[in-house]
Structures are given as structure tokens and as C-alpha cells.
Amino acid sequence: MLGGETECQTLWDDLFNFTFPENDVSKFDDNKNEYFLGPIVTFKNGDKLEVIDG
């Protein structure tokens, strides 16, 4: 299954909300918070970069 705009936006929103809790970077505690992203596998399809796993 290829990721579309909705999936990319969901990933971006998740990363943003993790890094800026309640839209406030001062609430981020790097001593307590961890975010596991894991690998993202992509391939170039013509002039587009597509996510095939991640």
C-alpha cells in the first residue's frame, strides 16, 4: 500500500504534536519522551518519491 497525502499529513501531525506538546516546545521533555519512527522504505517512481513501507 502506497502512502498518500493523508497518510503523510498524519505522520507529520504526529511528529509535530510529539515535538511541540500543546503547540508549545517548552513542554517537550527530552529526558522522558521517546518517539520510535522505525525505517521508512521509499523508491523513486519517475519523478516522484513514494513510500512503500513505514
Side-chain angles (χ1 to χ4, degrees):
M1 174 186 286
L2 298 176
E5 280 188 44
T6 301
E7 290 82 4
C8 290
Q9 186 64 54
T10 299
L11 174 60
W12 176 255
D13 291 342
D14 190 43
L15 288 169
F16 184 88
N17 290 328
F18 174 78
T19 308
F20 301 98
E22 298 176 36
N23 215 18
D24 184 353
V25 72
S26 69
K27 293 185 179 182
F28 179 78
D29 183 350
D30 60 352
N31 293 316
K32 293 183 182 178
N33 296 326
E34 273 187 24
Y35 188 96
F36 179 75
L37 183 58
I40 296 177
V41 181
T42 62
F43 77 101
K44 189 168 184 173
N45 185 6
D47 62 346
K48 296 181 179 180
L49 187 63
E50 296 189 27
V51 176
I52 58 173
D53 190 20

